[in-house]
Every structure is written in C-alpha cells, then in structure tokens.
Amino acid sequence: MGKRSNFKRRPQDKYRTFDVRAAAALAPHLRWGCRFWEPCAGAADLVRGLQAFGAECVIATDINPECEGVYRLDALAATAADVDSTGVTDIITNPVWSRALLHAMIMHFSAMRPTWLLFDADWMHTQQAAPYLPFLRKVVSVGRLCWIEGTDQTGKDNCAWYLFDQRGSGPIEFIGRAA
C-alpha cells in the first residue's frame, strides 16, 4: 500500500476508507450544507462516515462500484456540466494514489469544485507536487489509517486531507493532527 510496505498493491488501489478517523478529521473543515460527490466511492465507507457528521452525499460513483447506490462512472470522464446539474458543492474522495491518476484527478476535479482528496502526507514535500501547489488551499493532517479489513494495523504512511480549488488563491492553511 505504501512506499515502505511489503504488501502487494491491490488492483486500482482498492483500499476501503472504513477507518472513522478519516471522516472525523475532515468533518470540522467542511462548509455548512456540504453536498458532495464521491467519485471513487468503492463500497461507500467514506460516504457513510461523512454522512454521520452531517454532510450530504448527492452522488457516489466508482469505475467498479462495490455496493448498491454507487453508480458506475469513470470520474475523469465527468464534465463540469454533469456536476453542475447535481447541486454538488464539493468533491470528496480517497483517490487512487498512483501519481499519474492522482495528479489527473487533482486537475480535473479542482477545476469543477473545491476538492478534498485523502492521500499520503509526504506528497506535499516532493518536487512532483510543485505544479499542483498553486491550487492547494488547505492541508488537514490525519495520521496513519487502517486500510486492511479485519486488522487493526495501520498503514506505514501518514495521511492528510488536501483541499484543492483552481478558482481560489492565497496561502495554504495547515491544520495539525488532533490529539
């Protein structure tokens, strides 16, 4: 899963976001009345987690849905018109962490709506992050999360929520991990 792991990666980075700490860390930073699209919903764990904190999932999609209520869609094929017709205020997901897809998602989603993406915290310190930093508005530290069902072991990489928005400007706000 991470860069220091011996585990074989799952196809399409299918790691469920069932660890409640992921939603709990993001919830205080969502705008009141948040109506979100979850484009990499999988089994909808993150959807359920965020709804428990009062956010409303307008639509959940995935290239390979794993449960009822998640619709099949290649999120990178969605257009701004598609999103505009839904009443979505934000895009929120735990995206694929492979850099080519992750970077494509940053650009595609953040051009449409403010976009919260959950991935490794170390990314922001790399040279590859430089082209995307002008669109980064906020980083919320989460720490290590449990990604493998049936275990209480966390991953080896710390995670963060990143808020990207191509329509905004200003300095990046950093929020440290809650105790």
Side-chain angles (χ1 to χ4, degrees), residues 80-144:
D82 296 330
V83 176
D84 290 345
S85 68
T86 63
V88 162
T89 60
D90 298 86
I91 299 170
I92 305 172
T93 195
N94 170 19
V96 172
W97 288 20
S98 68
R99 296 317 191 213
L101 282 172
L102 172 64
H103 294 158
M105 287 181 177
I106 290 169
M107 296 307 293
H108 185 66
F109 297 152
S110 69
M112 294 188 276
R113 292 289 186 280
T115 300
W116 287 99
L117 301 176
L118 176 67
F119 58 97
D120 58 291
D122 194 47
W123 173 86
M124 72 180 124
H125 302 289
T126 65
Q127 288 182 341
Q128 66 180 314
Y132 309 97
L133 295 180
F135 312 121
L136 183 58
R137 303 289 161 250
K138 188 183 263 191
V139 178
V140 177
S141 181
V142 178
R144 294 181 181 184

Side-chain angles (χ1 to χ4, degrees), residues 15 25 43 53 64 68 70 78 80 87 90 101 103 129 149 164 171:
Y15 295 94
F53 287 98
N64 289 312
E68 291 288 322
V70 176
D90 298 86
L101 282 172
H103 294 158
E149 301 88 349
F164 295 94

Side-chain angles (χ1 to χ4, degrees), residues 160-175:
W161 281 104
Y162 295 89
L163 174 61
F164 295 94
D165 188 351
Q166 291 183 37
R167 298 168 296 168
S169 63
I172 302 168
E173 181 181 0
F174 292 93
I175 308 296

Side-chain angles (χ1 to χ4, degrees), residues 2-98:
K3 58 186 170 267
R4 292 174 297 278
S5 172
N6 294 335
F7 290 106
K8 181 179 175 187
R9 288 184 80 110
R10 293 180 177 181
Q12 298 177 324
D13 278 357
K14 287 281 188 179
Y15 295 94
R16 293 179 61 180
T17 318
F18 64 89
D19 191 326
V20 296
R21 293 174 295 179
L26 179 58
H29 304 281
L30 296 177
R31 297 179 288 178
W32 184 86
C34 174
R35 296 171 42 90
F36 69 97
W37 167 33
E38 213 301 24
C40 305
D45 296 302
L46 183 58
V47 168
R48 286 186 295 279
L50 290 171
Q51 287 179 328
F53 287 98
E56 178 186 354
C57 181
V58 175
I59 188 163
T61 62
D62 197 282
I63 199 163
N64 289 312
E66 298 176 30
C67 69
E68 291 288 322
V70 176
Y71 301 96
R72 182 175 305 279
L73 176 71
D74 178 348
L76 291 174
T79 67
D82 296 330
V83 176
D84 290 345
S85 68
T86 63
V88 162
T89 60
D90 298 86
I91 299 170
I92 305 172
T93 195
N94 170 19
V96 172
W97 288 20
S98 68

